[in-house]
Amino acid sequence: MTLLRAVARPMLASMFISGGVMALRKPGALAHKAQPVADVLRKVAPQANLSPTNLIRLNSAVHVAAGAALATGHLPRTSALVLAATMPATTVAGHPFWNESDPVARKNQFTHFMKNVSLTGGLLLSTLDPDPHKPWLGRRARNTAVAAKDTIVDQLDDLRG
């Protein structure tokens, strides 16, 4: 793993791990924010019957598990994709700035909304990160070109020889 990956992945994952742990400790404090999502799920899949508190617990557990996987480099692209998939519902339910009438509260919610949009972008970029056990694409292309050249030179030598 490169130094950049060793530093950047835990930095990106830290928000999910810390937020997930805090929400797991006190899921009831956030349940009111998950109520709209629970209402939609009841309409789409009534058999699931997830309470807002259980939705918070589930989302938090996913954030901690996928965040830890991303931070440690275990299935980094998959864990980044899982985290990115949780972000739209988390962002819309958690930071509805459009519902705020107080300008200060509206600005605060908008800032958190945009932070989540930015984190989602970073996660999506992380899904494109090449396998850390393989050389960078440019290095692999160069190695392939050198190997092809060596094969051609060997074949030419066989023809001459």
Side-chain angles (χ1 to χ4, degrees):
M1 183 181 306
T2 66
L3 179 60
L4 179 61
R5 284 184 184 97
V7 173
R9 284 185 181 148
M11 289 173 67
L12 183 57
S14 66
M15 180 63 87
F16 298 96
I17 296 169
S18 66
V21 168
M22 288 189 328
L24 279 172
R25 287 183 177 165
K26 296 183 181 180
L30 298 171
H32 68 282
K33 290 186 174 195
Q35 187 64 54
V37 176
D39 293 342
V40 168
L41 287 176
R42 272 194 208 99
K43 291 177 186 173
V44 174
Q47 67 279 9
N49 198 18
L50 286 172
S51 71
T53 302
N54 285 340
L55 282 176
I56 295 294
R57 287 182 181 128
L58 177 62
N59 190 59
S60 300
V62 168
H63 280 193
V64 171
L70 180 62
T72 59
H74 292 88
L75 299 172
R77 292 188 291 181
T78 303
S79 57
L81 184 61
V82 167
L83 289 170
T86 68
M87 291 304 288
T90 301
T91 302
V92 170
H95 305 293
F97 65 92
W98 52 89
N99 290 337
E100 294 292 341
S101 56
D102 176 36
V104 174
R106 184 182 186 95
K107 183 177 180 184
N108 185 36
Q109 287 299 325
F110 181 75
T111 298
H112 286 291
F113 185 93
M114 293 309 295
K115 171 205 54 150
N116 283 9
V117 170
S118 298
L119 281 170
T120 305
L123 290 166
L124 291 173
L125 282 172
S126 294
T127 66
L128 301 175
D129 191 29
D131 185 341
H133 303 292
K134 292 181 182 175
W136 178 71
L137 181 61
R139 170 62 73 182
R140 286 185 290 172
R142 181 171 181 255
N143 291 347
T144 301
V146 167
K149 176 198 68 105
D150 291 344
T151 301
I152 291 170
V153 167
D154 290 344
Q155 289 175 354
L156 288 173
D157 286 344
D158 289 344
L159 289 174
R160 290 183 201 149

